[in-house]
Amino acid sequence: MALLDALRHRFGLRFKLGRSMREQHGCEASPSDTTAPDGVVFAHATEEVAEIVRLCAMHRVAVTAFGMFSSLERHVLGHVGGISIDLSEMDEVMTINAQDLTATVQAGVTREQLNAEVKDTGLFFPIDPGSKASLGGMAATRAGGTSAVRYGTMRENVLALTVVTAEGRIIRTARRAKKSSAGYDLTRIFVGSEGTLGIITEVTVRLYPRPDAIATAVCTFPDVRSAVDTVIQTIQTGVPLARAEFMDALALRAVNLHTDTLFTERPTLFLEFHGTPAGVAEQAEIVRDIAREHRGDDYDWADQPEARTRLWSARHTAFAACERLRPGWRTFTTDACVPLSRLAQCIEETIEDTRRSSLLCPLFGHVGDGHLLCLIIADPDNPAEMAEAERLNQRMMSRALRMEGTCTAEHGIGAQKVVLLTEEFDANAVHLMRQLKRAWDPLNILNPGKVIAVPE
């Protein structure tokens, strides 16, 4: 109560205690093992975040950063109550350095907002996780997306961070130089730490010149392996794909039902090319020939914005479309990545596994970097179906690890995959991570219960 009184006195109407607001910031629609935070604070500046954390540390109360609630691994859902710091109103684009190809933003700025701000400079920020996510949250979860095959993930595109530590100290992890070998790479430690080592309040990111020409191609295949082999050969040939997305027949069926489109319901690639008009045309022709070698057909090509939007609509609406296959049911979203050479086998085994199940399991992914996602749809009121969904999810994760992959390519560990972390890394690596958490957050107040288990 002393902490709540202090926050109420300091932040006034920006400190919320209402039940609906608290549940929005800490519980799922039907919570079973989650707890709403005791209060929500809307911060406007880094100094305010530091002040809140210092107060929480003084009272030994948990604190969790909250952005757009677009994460999929229960990153911001509560286990012990505490205080939720909402960063969504920290939405200022602070500086744009067009000559240096960088921008510095507050954590609540979204990808769409940043791109609107830099549009007149001829630059853009390419990382697209497919949802309205904040850049602070994207950095915290090491997000990627459809363009990662060419531009990388947040790991490659964050130059520096401003972070509030568990003590309530403010640190800057790096300067704006393109490279540095000074000291430990604190930026890379905080990127992907999911709010467990510090709270990201400002992000400096790389920007890229907007390509002169963009073209999209969609091609169907008789089977999964033909589609994946087309992508592998394309990459080996040196064609700089900007996006390489895969959707299986069930995912395309969901999209057709959802959007009244007529996409062929077969394994399908959605490809995008960036560059000069001549370069894009050459890349597309090379890929057309490679696709033909692998029995690809229905090669649909578009270089005008309206036509490109039409072709990409299937991939952009895939998640919502698949959820509507069973309205009101629960969707488990898997997220795995394997070496490219093992991708076709991983997808084939996953599809065969799901076909033997009674559940609907559409599959798609960023195949250009070996990443696949499977949506497992189950009735939340049917214990047998929920158990089957969990079994399929665990089998897919185990399959990816067996193929020298990872249990999460871009969604993070959160609370869902804490156990899988100990399967992906050996005991010594996990021990070192746990030591880092204990050293940087000795009171275990920063987003406890996420990423790594820290025994009391």
Side-chain angles (χ1 to χ4, degrees), residues 271-292:
L271 307 171
E272 188 166 277
F273 311 93
H274 292 180
T276 63
V280 163
E282 180 183 15
Q283 293 166 27
E285 280 303 310
I286 293 173
V287 176
R288 183 197 298 268
D289 292 340
I290 294 173
R292 284 173 176 165

mmCIF file with all atom_site columns, all heavy atoms in Angstrom, residues 271-292:
data_model
loop_
_atom_site.group_PDB
_atom_site.id
_atom_site.type_symbol
_atom_site.label_atom_id
_atom_site.label_alt_id
_atom_site.label_comp_id
_atom_site.label_asym_id
_atom_site.label_entity_id
_atom_site.label_seq_id
_atom_site.pdbx_PDB_ins_code
_atom_site.Cartn_x
_atom_site.Cartn_y
_atom_site.Cartn_z
_atom_site.occupancy
_atom_site.B_iso_or_equiv
_atom_site.pdbx_formal_charge
_atom_site.auth_seq_id
_atom_site.auth_comp_id
_atom_site.auth_asym_id
_atom_site.auth_atom_id
_atom_site.pdbx_PDB_model_num
ATOM 1   N N   . LEU A 1 271 ? 7.199  -14.139 -52.797 1.00 0.00 ? 271 LEU A N   1
ATOM 2   C CA  . LEU A 1 271 ? 8.566  -13.625 -52.892 1.00 0.00 ? 271 LEU A CA  1
ATOM 3   C C   . LEU A 1 271 ? 8.539  -12.131 -53.198 1.00 0.00 ? 271 LEU A C   1
ATOM 4   O O   . LEU A 1 271 ? 7.651  -11.643 -53.893 1.00 0.00 ? 271 LEU A O   1
ATOM 5   C CB  . LEU A 1 271 ? 9.336  -14.348 -53.991 1.00 0.00 ? 271 LEU A CB  1
ATOM 6   C CG  . LEU A 1 271 ? 9.340  -15.886 -53.924 1.00 0.00 ? 271 LEU A CG  1
ATOM 7   C CD1 . LEU A 1 271 ? 9.940  -16.470 -55.184 1.00 0.00 ? 271 LEU A CD1 1
ATOM 8   C CD2 . LEU A 1 271 ? 10.097 -16.349 -52.691 1.00 0.00 ? 271 LEU A CD2 1
ATOM 9   N N   . GLU A 1 272 ? 9.530  -11.415 -52.685 1.00 0.00 ? 272 GLU A N   1
ATOM 10  C CA  . GLU A 1 272 ? 9.636  -9.985  -52.991 1.00 0.00 ? 272 GLU A CA  1
ATOM 11  C C   . GLU A 1 272 ? 11.081 -9.653  -53.324 1.00 0.00 ? 272 GLU A C   1
ATOM 12  O O   . GLU A 1 272 ? 12.023 -10.191 -52.729 1.00 0.00 ? 272 GLU A O   1
ATOM 13  C CB  . GLU A 1 272 ? 9.156  -9.133  -51.809 1.00 0.00 ? 272 GLU A CB  1
ATOM 14  C CG  . GLU A 1 272 ? 9.060  -7.647  -52.150 1.00 0.00 ? 272 GLU A CG  1
ATOM 15  C CD  . GLU A 1 272 ? 8.264  -6.871  -51.115 1.00 0.00 ? 272 GLU A CD  1
ATOM 16  O OE1 . GLU A 1 272 ? 7.015  -6.883  -51.207 1.00 0.00 ? 272 GLU A OE1 1
ATOM 17  O OE2 . GLU A 1 272 ? 8.883  -6.267  -50.226 1.00 0.00 ? 272 GLU A OE2 1
ATOM 18  N N   . PHE A 1 273 ? 11.243 -8.724  -54.295 1.00 0.00 ? 273 PHE A N   1
ATOM 19  C CA  . PHE A 1 273 ? 12.558 -8.320  -54.776 1.00 0.00 ? 273 PHE A CA  1
ATOM 20  C C   . PHE A 1 273 ? 12.683 -6.811  -54.654 1.00 0.00 ? 273 PHE A C   1
ATOM 21  O O   . PHE A 1 273 ? 11.751 -6.072  -54.990 1.00 0.00 ? 273 PHE A O   1
ATOM 22  C CB  . PHE A 1 273 ? 12.737 -8.729  -56.244 1.00 0.00 ? 273 PHE A CB  1
ATOM 23  C CG  . PHE A 1 273 ? 12.371 -10.167 -56.527 1.00 0.00 ? 273 PHE A CG  1
ATOM 24  C CD1 . PHE A 1 273 ? 11.094 -10.499 -56.957 1.00 0.00 ? 273 PHE A CD1 1
ATOM 25  C CD2 . PHE A 1 273 ? 13.290 -11.182 -56.355 1.00 0.00 ? 273 PHE A CD2 1
ATOM 26  C CE1 . PHE A 1 273 ? 10.737 -11.809 -57.218 1.00 0.00 ? 273 PHE A CE1 1
ATOM 27  C CE2 . PHE A 1 273 ? 12.954 -12.503 -56.614 1.00 0.00 ? 273 PHE A CE2 1
ATOM 28  C CZ  . PHE A 1 273 ? 11.671 -12.814 -57.038 1.00 0.00 ? 273 PHE A CZ  1
ATOM 29  N N   . HIS A 1 274 ? 13.835 -6.337  -54.189 1.00 0.00 ? 274 HIS A N   1
ATOM 30  C CA  . HIS A 1 274 ? 14.121 -4.909  -54.049 1.00 0.00 ? 274 HIS A CA  1
ATOM 31  C C   . HIS A 1 274 ? 15.357 -4.568  -54.878 1.00 0.00 ? 274 HIS A C   1
ATOM 32  O O   . HIS A 1 274 ? 16.290 -5.361  -54.967 1.00 0.00 ? 274 HIS A O   1
ATOM 33  C CB  . HIS A 1 274 ? 14.398 -4.541  -52.590 1.00 0.00 ? 274 HIS A CB  1
ATOM 34  C CG  . HIS A 1 274 ? 13.214 -4.658  -51.692 1.00 0.00 ? 274 HIS A CG  1
ATOM 35  N ND1 . HIS A 1 274 ? 13.274 -4.358  -50.346 1.00 0.00 ? 274 HIS A ND1 1
ATOM 36  C CD2 . HIS A 1 274 ? 11.924 -5.012  -51.932 1.00 0.00 ? 274 HIS A CD2 1
ATOM 37  C CE1 . HIS A 1 274 ? 12.067 -4.542  -49.803 1.00 0.00 ? 274 HIS A CE1 1
ATOM 38  N NE2 . HIS A 1 274 ? 11.243 -4.949  -50.742 1.00 0.00 ? 274 HIS A NE2 1
ATOM 39  N N   . GLY A 1 275 ? 15.383 -3.371  -55.470 1.00 0.00 ? 275 GLY A N   1
ATOM 40  C CA  . GLY A 1 275 ? 16.561 -2.929  -56.206 1.00 0.00 ? 275 GLY A CA  1
ATOM 41  C C   . GLY A 1 275 ? 16.209 -1.926  -57.274 1.00 0.00 ? 275 GLY A C   1
ATOM 42  O O   . GLY A 1 275 ? 15.206 -1.203  -57.185 1.00 0.00 ? 275 GLY A O   1
ATOM 43  N N   . THR A 1 276 ? 17.032 -1.870  -58.314 1.00 0.00 ? 276 THR A N   1
ATOM 44  C CA  . THR A 1 276 ? 16.735 -1.033  -59.466 1.00 0.00 ? 276 THR A CA  1
ATOM 45  C C   . THR A 1 276 ? 15.716 -1.752  -60.346 1.00 0.00 ? 276 THR A C   1
ATOM 46  O O   . THR A 1 276 ? 15.558 -2.979  -60.243 1.00 0.00 ? 276 THR A O   1
ATOM 47  C CB  . THR A 1 276 ? 17.999 -0.771  -60.284 1.00 0.00 ? 276 THR A CB  1
ATOM 48  O OG1 . THR A 1 276 ? 18.482 -2.030  -60.804 1.00 0.00 ? 276 THR A OG1 1
ATOM 49  C CG2 . THR A 1 276 ? 19.095 -0.132  -59.428 1.00 0.00 ? 276 THR A CG2 1
ATOM 50  N N   . PRO A 1 277 ? 15.006 -1.044  -61.220 1.00 0.00 ? 277 PRO A N   1
ATOM 51  C CA  . PRO A 1 277 ? 14.052 -1.720  -62.104 1.00 0.00 ? 277 PRO A CA  1
ATOM 52  C C   . PRO A 1 277 ? 14.676 -2.855  -62.897 1.00 0.00 ? 277 PRO A C   1
ATOM 53  O O   . PRO A 1 277 ? 14.090 -3.946  -62.988 1.00 0.00 ? 277 PRO A O   1
ATOM 54  C CB  . PRO A 1 277 ? 13.556 -0.585  -63.009 1.00 0.00 ? 277 PRO A CB  1
ATOM 55  C CG  . PRO A 1 277 ? 13.687 0.648   -62.160 1.00 0.00 ? 277 PRO A CG  1
ATOM 56  C CD  . PRO A 1 277 ? 14.939 0.433   -61.353 1.00 0.00 ? 277 PRO A CD  1
ATOM 57  N N   . ALA A 1 278 ? 15.873 -2.617  -63.443 1.00 0.00 ? 278 ALA A N   1
ATOM 58  C CA  . ALA A 1 278 ? 16.523 -3.663  -64.226 1.00 0.00 ? 278 ALA A CA  1
ATOM 59  C C   . ALA A 1 278 ? 16.950 -4.830  -63.337 1.00 0.00 ? 278 ALA A C   1
ATOM 60  O O   . ALA A 1 278 ? 16.807 -6.003  -63.702 1.00 0.00 ? 278 ALA A O   1
ATOM 61  C CB  . ALA A 1 278 ? 17.739 -3.093  -64.958 1.00 0.00 ? 278 ALA A CB  1
ATOM 62  N N   . GLY A 1 279 ? 17.471 -4.509  -62.149 1.00 0.00 ? 279 GLY A N   1
ATOM 63  C CA  . GLY A 1 279 ? 17.912 -5.558  -61.237 1.00 0.00 ? 279 GLY A CA  1
ATOM 64  C C   . GLY A 1 279 ? 16.771 -6.414  -60.740 1.00 0.00 ? 279 GLY A C   1
ATOM 65  O O   . GLY A 1 279 ? 16.877 -7.647  -60.660 1.00 0.00 ? 279 GLY A O   1
ATOM 66  N N   . VAL A 1 280 ? 15.653 -5.782  -60.425 1.00 0.00 ? 280 VAL A N   1
ATOM 67  C CA  . VAL A 1 280 ? 14.483 -6.514  -59.947 1.00 0.00 ? 280 VAL A CA  1
ATOM 68  C C   . VAL A 1 280 ? 13.947 -7.436  -61.037 1.00 0.00 ? 280 VAL A C   1
ATOM 69  O O   . VAL A 1 280 ? 13.603 -8.600  -60.780 1.00 0.00 ? 280 VAL A O   1
ATOM 70  C CB  . VAL A 1 280 ? 13.396 -5.530  -59.468 1.00 0.00 ? 280 VAL A CB  1
ATOM 71  C CG1 . VAL A 1 280 ? 12.046 -6.222  -59.354 1.00 0.00 ? 280 VAL A CG1 1
ATOM 72  C CG2 . VAL A 1 280 ? 13.789 -4.925  -58.134 1.00 0.00 ? 280 VAL A CG2 1
ATOM 73  N N   . ALA A 1 281 ? 13.885 -6.930  -62.269 1.00 0.00 ? 281 ALA A N   1
ATOM 74  C CA  . ALA A 1 281 ? 13.398 -7.759  -63.376 1.00 0.00 ? 281 ALA A CA  1
ATOM 75  C C   . ALA A 1 281 ? 14.305 -8.969  -63.591 1.00 0.00 ? 281 ALA A C   1
ATOM 76  O O   . ALA A 1 281 ? 13.831 -10.092 -63.830 1.00 0.00 ? 281 ALA A O   1
ATOM 77  C CB  . ALA A 1 281 ? 13.311 -6.919  -64.648 1.00 0.00 ? 281 ALA A CB  1
ATOM 78  N N   . GLU A 1 282 ? 15.617 -8.750  -63.487 1.00 0.00 ? 282 GLU A N   1
ATOM 79  C CA  . GLU A 1 282 ? 16.564 -9.859  -63.666 1.00 0.00 ? 282 GLU A CA  1
ATOM 80  C C   . GLU A 1 282 ? 16.408 -10.898 -62.549 1.00 0.00 ? 282 GLU A C   1
ATOM 81  O O   . GLU A 1 282 ? 16.394 -12.104 -62.803 1.00 0.00 ? 282 GLU A O   1
ATOM 82  C CB  . GLU A 1 282 ? 17.990 -9.319  -63.683 1.00 0.00 ? 282 GLU A CB  1
ATOM 83  C CG  . GLU A 1 282 ? 19.043 -10.403 -63.878 1.00 0.00 ? 282 GLU A CG  1
ATOM 84  C CD  . GLU A 1 282 ? 20.457 -9.855  -63.808 1.00 0.00 ? 282 GLU A CD  1
ATOM 85  O OE1 . GLU A 1 282 ? 20.651 -8.718  -63.332 1.00 0.00 ? 282 GLU A OE1 1
ATOM 86  O OE2 . GLU A 1 282 ? 21.375 -10.585 -64.224 1.00 0.00 ? 282 GLU A OE2 1
ATOM 87  N N   . GLN A 1 283 ? 16.266 -10.413 -61.295 1.00 0.00 ? 283 GLN A N   1
ATOM 88  C CA  . GLN A 1 283 ? 16.098 -11.339 -60.168 1.00 0.00 ? 283 GLN A CA  1
ATOM 89  C C   . GLN A 1 283 ? 14.845 -12.186 -60.344 1.00 0.00 ? 283 GLN A C   1
ATOM 90  O O   . GLN A 1 283 ? 14.854 -13.405 -60.128 1.00 0.00 ? 283 GLN A O   1
ATOM 91  C CB  . GLN A 1 283 ? 15.990 -10.538 -58.857 1.00 0.00 ? 283 GLN A CB  1
ATOM 92  C CG  . GLN A 1 283 ? 17.249 -9.800  -58.452 1.00 0.00 ? 283 GLN A CG  1
ATOM 93  C CD  . GLN A 1 283 ? 16.967 -8.777  -57.370 1.00 0.00 ? 283 GLN A CD  1
ATOM 94  O OE1 . GLN A 1 283 ? 16.032 -8.921  -56.584 1.00 0.00 ? 283 GLN A OE1 1
ATOM 95  N NE2 . GLN A 1 283 ? 17.762 -7.719  -57.329 1.00 0.00 ? 283 GLN A NE2 1
ATOM 96  N N   . ALA A 1 284 ? 13.762 -11.544 -60.747 1.00 0.00 ? 284 ALA A N   1
ATOM 97  C CA  . ALA A 1 284 ? 12.499 -12.258 -60.906 1.00 0.00 ? 284 ALA A CA  1
ATOM 98  C C   . ALA A 1 284 ? 12.586 -13.332 -61.984 1.00 0.00 ? 284 ALA A C   1
ATOM 99  O O   . ALA A 1 284 ? 12.019 -14.423 -61.834 1.00 0.00 ? 284 ALA A O   1
ATOM 100 C CB  . ALA A 1 284 ? 11.379 -11.269 -61.230 1.00 0.00 ? 284 ALA A CB  1
ATOM 101 N N   . GLU A 1 285 ? 13.298 -13.036 -63.073 1.00 0.00 ? 285 GLU A N   1
ATOM 102 C CA  . GLU A 1 285 ? 13.434 -14.024 -64.146 1.00 0.00 ? 285 GLU A CA  1
ATOM 103 C C   . GLU A 1 285 ? 14.267 -15.216 -63.689 1.00 0.00 ? 285 GLU A C   1
ATOM 104 O O   . GLU A 1 285 ? 13.965 -16.368 -64.021 1.00 0.00 ? 285 GLU A O   1
ATOM 105 C CB  . GLU A 1 285 ? 14.068 -13.369 -65.375 1.00 0.00 ? 285 GLU A CB  1
ATOM 106 C CG  . GLU A 1 285 ? 13.092 -12.556 -66.207 1.00 0.00 ? 285 GLU A CG  1
ATOM 107 C CD  . GLU A 1 285 ? 11.915 -13.386 -66.682 1.00 0.00 ? 285 GLU A CD  1
ATOM 108 O OE1 . GLU A 1 285 ? 12.139 -14.480 -67.246 1.00 0.00 ? 285 GLU A OE1 1
ATOM 109 O OE2 . GLU A 1 285 ? 10.764 -12.967 -66.462 1.00 0.00 ? 285 GLU A OE2 1
ATOM 110 N N   . ILE A 1 286 ? 15.321 -14.940 -62.935 1.00 0.00 ? 286 ILE A N   1
ATOM 111 C CA  . ILE A 1 286 ? 16.160 -16.041 -62.426 1.00 0.00 ? 286 ILE A CA  1
ATOM 112 C C   . ILE A 1 286 ? 15.319 -16.956 -61.530 1.00 0.00 ? 286 ILE A C   1
ATOM 113 O O   . ILE A 1 286 ? 15.364 -18.187 -61.650 1.00 0.00 ? 286 ILE A O   1
ATOM 114 C CB  . ILE A 1 286 ? 17.368 -15.473 -61.638 1.00 0.00 ? 286 ILE A CB  1
ATOM 115 C CG1 . ILE A 1 286 ? 18.318 -14.741 -62.588 1.00 0.00 ? 286 ILE A CG1 1
ATOM 116 C CG2 . ILE A 1 286 ? 18.095 -16.598 -60.896 1.00 0.00 ? 286 ILE A CG2 1
ATOM 117 C CD1 . ILE A 1 286 ? 19.441 -14.002 -61.870 1.00 0.00 ? 286 ILE A CD1 1
ATOM 118 N N   . VAL A 1 287 ? 14.528 -16.348 -60.649 1.00 0.00 ? 287 VAL A N   1
ATOM 119 C CA  . VAL A 1 287 ? 13.717 -17.149 -59.733 1.00 0.00 ? 287 VAL A CA  1
ATOM 120 C C   . VAL A 1 287 ? 12.617 -17.892 -60.491 1.00 0.00 ? 287 VAL A C   1
ATOM 121 O O   . VAL A 1 287 ? 12.282 -19.029 -60.161 1.00 0.00 ? 287 VAL A O   1
ATOM 122 C CB  . VAL A 1 287 ? 13.112 -16.256 -58.634 1.00 0.00 ? 287 VAL A CB  1
ATOM 123 C CG1 . VAL A 1 287 ? 12.177 -17.059 -57.738 1.00 0.00 ? 287 VAL A CG1 1
ATOM 124 C CG2 . VAL A 1 287 ? 14.221 -15.630 -57.790 1.00 0.00 ? 287 VAL A CG2 1
ATOM 125 N N   . ARG A 1 288 ? 12.075 -17.286 -61.537 1.00 0.00 ? 288 ARG A N   1
ATOM 126 C CA  . ARG A 1 288 ? 11.067 -17.968 -62.343 1.00 0.00 ? 288 ARG A CA  1
ATOM 127 C C   . ARG A 1 288 ? 11.639 -19.261 -62.938 1.00 0.00 ? 288 ARG A C   1
ATOM 128 O O   . ARG A 1 288 ? 11.006 -20.318 -62.897 1.00 0.00 ? 288 ARG A O   1
ATOM 129 C CB  . ARG A 1 288 ? 10.576 -17.063 -63.472 1.00 0.00 ? 288 ARG A CB  1
ATOM 130 C CG  . ARG A 1 288 ? 9.455  -17.690 -64.309 1.00 0.00 ? 288 ARG A CG  1
ATOM 131 C CD  . ARG A 1 288 ? 9.287  -16.967 -65.638 1.00 0.00 ? 288 ARG A CD  1
ATOM 132 N NE  . ARG A 1 288 ? 8.907  -15.589 -65.468 1.00 0.00 ? 288 ARG A NE  1
ATOM 133 C CZ  . ARG A 1 288 ? 7.646  -15.152 -65.440 1.00 0.00 ? 288 ARG A CZ  1
ATOM 134 N NH1 . ARG A 1 288 ? 6.657  -16.014 -65.589 1.00 0.00 ? 288 ARG A NH1 1
ATOM 135 N NH2 . ARG A 1 288 ? 7.386  -13.870 -65.294 1.00 0.00 ? 288 ARG A NH2 1
ATOM 136 N N   . ASP A 1 289 ? 12.867 -19.165 -63.441 1.00 0.00 ? 289 ASP A N   1
ATOM 137 C CA  . ASP A 1 289 ? 13.506 -20.353 -64.030 1.00 0.00 ? 289 ASP A CA  1
ATOM 138 C C   . ASP A 1 289 ? 13.776 -21.421 -62.971 1.00 0.00 ? 289 ASP A C   1
ATOM 139 O O   . ASP A 1 289 ? 13.587 -22.620 -63.215 1.00 0.00 ? 289 ASP A O   1
ATOM 140 C CB  . ASP A 1 289 ? 14.817 -19.954 -64.726 1.00 0.00 ? 289 ASP A CB  1
ATOM 141 C CG  . ASP A 1 289 ? 14.580 -19.101 -65.967 1.00 0.00 ? 289 ASP A CG  1
ATOM 142 O OD1 . ASP A 1 289 ? 13.450 -19.140 -66.501 1.00 0.00 ? 289 ASP A OD1 1
ATOM 143 O OD2 . ASP A 1 289 ? 15.511 -18.386 -66.379 1.00 0.00 ? 289 ASP A OD2 1
ATOM 144 N N   . ILE A 1 290 ? 14.238 -20.977 -61.789 1.00 0.00 ? 290 ILE A N   1
ATOM 145 C CA  . ILE A 1 290 ? 14.505 -21.937 -60.711 1.00 0.00 ? 290 ILE A CA  1
ATOM 146 C C   . ILE A 1 290 ? 13.204 -22.605 -60.273 1.00 0.00 ? 290 ILE A C   1
ATOM 147 O O   . ILE A 1 290 ? 13.161 -23.825 -60.056 1.00 0.00 ? 290 ILE A O   1
ATOM 148 C CB  . ILE A 1 290 ? 15.180 -21.220 -59.521 1.00 0.00 ? 290 ILE A CB  1
ATOM 149 C CG1 . ILE A 1 290 ? 16.577 -20.729 -59.910 1.00 0.00 ? 290 ILE A CG1 1
ATOM 150 C CG2 . ILE A 1 290 ? 15.255 -22.147 -58.298 1.00 0.00 ? 290 ILE A CG2 1
ATOM 151 C CD1 . ILE A 1 290 ? 17.242 -19.863 -58.853 1.00 0.00 ? 290 ILE A CD1 1
ATOM 152 N N   . ALA A 1 291 ? 12.138 -21.834 -60.157 1.00 0.00 ? 291 ALA A N   1
ATOM 153 C CA  . ALA A 1 291 ? 10.848 -22.400 -59.759 1.00 0.00 ? 291 ALA A CA  1
ATOM 154 C C   . ALA A 1 291 ? 10.366 -23.430 -60.772 1.00 0.00 ? 291 ALA A C   1
ATOM 155 O O   . ALA A 1 291 ? 9.824  -24.482 -60.398 1.00 0.00 ? 291 ALA A O   1
ATOM 156 C CB  . ALA A 1 291 ? 9.824  -21.281 -59.598 1.00 0.00 ? 291 ALA A CB  1
ATOM 157 N N   . ARG A 1 292 ? 10.553 -23.150 -62.039 1.00 0.00 ? 292 ARG A N   1
ATOM 158 C CA  . ARG A 1 292 ? 10.130 -24.093 -63.074 1.00 0.00 ? 292 ARG A CA  1
ATOM 159 C C   . ARG A 1 292 ? 10.895 -25.409 -62.948 1.00 0.00 ? 292 ARG A C   1
ATOM 160 O O   . ARG A 1 292 ? 10.336 -26.487 -63.170 1.00 0.00 ? 292 ARG A O   1
ATOM 161 C CB  . ARG A 1 292 ? 10.328 -23.488 -64.454 1.00 0.00 ? 292 ARG A CB  1
ATOM 162 C CG  . ARG A 1 292 ? 9.270  -22.445 -64.817 1.00 0.00 ? 292 ARG A CG  1
ATOM 163 C CD  . ARG A 1 292 ? 9.610  -21.754 -66.107 1.00 0.00 ? 292 ARG A CD  1
ATOM 164 N NE  . ARG A 1 292 ? 8.548  -20.817 -66.505 1.00 0.00 ? 292 ARG A NE  1
ATOM 165 C CZ  . ARG A 1 292 ? 8.702  -19.877 -67.438 1.00 0.00 ? 292 ARG A CZ  1
ATOM 166 N NH1 . ARG A 1 292 ? 9.874  -19.742 -68.050 1.00 0.00 ? 292 ARG A NH1 1
ATOM 167 N NH2 . ARG A 1 292 ? 7.702  -19.073 -67.738 1.00 0.00 ? 292 ARG A NH2 1
#
